[in-house]
Amino acid sequence: MKKIILVAGLGFATIMGTQSCSSSTDDSIHTTTVNEDKANIKKTIDGFYSKLNTMDDGDLSKFILYSMFNNTAQEFDDSYLNNVVEGWENQFGEALINNKLQFANRLGTYTYNNANGTWTKIANSSNVVLKFPSVANSSVIDSELTLSSYTDIQTSYNSEVIWLPKTFNLVLKRSGNTVFSMDLSNVTFDNSTNFSMPISANIQIFASPMTQNIVWTRNSAKDFQFKYNNTIPQGSSSEVIANVILKHSDYANISSKDDFKTISGSIKEGDLKIVATMNVEALAPLADPTDAQINNNTKGEVFYLGQKIGDLVYKTVNGEGEFFIVYFDGSSENTDVYIGDFEQKVKAIFANYL
């Protein structure tokens, strides 16, 4: 389990990125009781589940359920949409040729005829627009997918040429309402090795009703930062900021935890924030680190409205690794008190998909 914790931390940083986790908060000042702190944590977790419920009731969820679960058994079935895409490629050619999206060669507005399974095309000098019914056996053209502003750049991986997007805007509408959109910009790569390392990217995703922003930045040759946040109308906001510092900048040969120096980051949900650091360089050589070795080389702090309310400590309990919150009065409790039923609650919220 200890190895899993370390690997999970590495995976988190590899995907996320980096930021300093220092805090100027005076730990000696505490204006709430431990019971109030516990209630605030629970309130935040409940708010997170409420946000998931809002997502489940949103327009994107409704589109997915209508287009991919609209059958007698109410089971996932994307065969209709696959047939729509395959029919388009059969008529106009593959969208991806030699690892390059054929955007400029496929410009046009295309409309699908569900009765005979064919597409018609009219001129469009700037976009690729696909119009189609959301479900099989319907003649109502209620869905529209638009790709615009697409540019790409030639990169490589293991000597294979690949064209990766630099900019694009993708919008999916149903009945005139945007249910999903994605905007990509500021994408750059370091091509100094046989692996093109992304060094910057800005992504905005709207998955109705949630807006999400992702920013990837290389601060220096070995220092990367990832920022993510999401918001929904009349709901809590979330933020993840993570930092990874590598031992070297030979990106093509980053293959294990031994290539990482430190990981740091923060996760914020509403008014609750967790700040953490990990000395990967010290932990990586240890095949089976003890609890003390893990805690001596990691640090986790819990804040609410900017006030520190506790520390996160790793403990082995009955052979399993667990995280405990140690509050300012010295008492502690397993984080499972708050998130032990996380999987069950998420499954209950999204039961229509399962």
Side-chain angles (χ1 to χ4, degrees), residues 3 7 24 42 70 80 92 106 116 120 199 218 227 236 242 260 272 279 284 310 328 342 344 349:
K3 294 181 181 178
V7 172
S24 59
K42 184 179 185 305
N70 190 3
Y80 164 69
F92 304 105
R106 302 291 186 269
N116 56 27
T120 57
I199 58 177
R218 183 176 70 172
K227 292 183 179 181
S236 62
F260 294 83
L272 183 69
N279 184 349
F328 76 95
F342 177 82
Q344 292 89 340
I349 292 170

Side-chain angles (χ1 to χ4, degrees), residues 101-132:
L101 184 67
Q102 301 300 298
F103 175 74
N105 297 328
R106 302 291 186 269
L107 294 175
T109 298
Y110 304 82
T111 303
Y112 187 69
N113 186 324
N114 227 346
N116 56 27
T118 61
W119 291 85
T120 57
K121 176 184 177 182
I122 61 174
N124 186 322
S125 61
S126 58
N127 304 329
V128 175
V129 183
L130 306 181
K131 297 183 177 184
F132 54 95

Side-chain angles (χ1 to χ4, degrees), residues 299-345:
K299 183 178 181 179
E301 299 173 288
V302 184
F303 297 83
Y304 190 84
L305 286 174
Q307 174 180 260
K308 182 176 176 179
I309 61 175
D311 293 295
L312 287 176
V313 175
Y314 179 87
K315 295 181 181 180
T316 301
V317 180
N318 297 324
E320 297 292 333
E322 305 282 354
F323 284 101
F324 286 74
I325 300 178
V326 180
Y327 295 99
F328 76 95
D329 67 351
S331 64
S332 67
E333 65 180 348
N334 196 318
T335 56
D336 275 355
V337 170
Y338 303 104
I339 59 175
D341 57 353
F342 177 82
E343 182 178 355
Q344 292 89 340
K345 286 195 172 182

Side-chain angles (χ1 to χ4, degrees), residues 253-272:
N253 290 307
I254 297 174
S255 58
S256 72
K257 61 183 182 294
D258 296 323
D259 297 306
F260 294 83
K261 187 175 180 67
T262 61
I263 295 168
S264 59
S266 62
I267 300 175
K268 186 174 184 291
E269 178 63 34
D271 296 320
L272 183 69

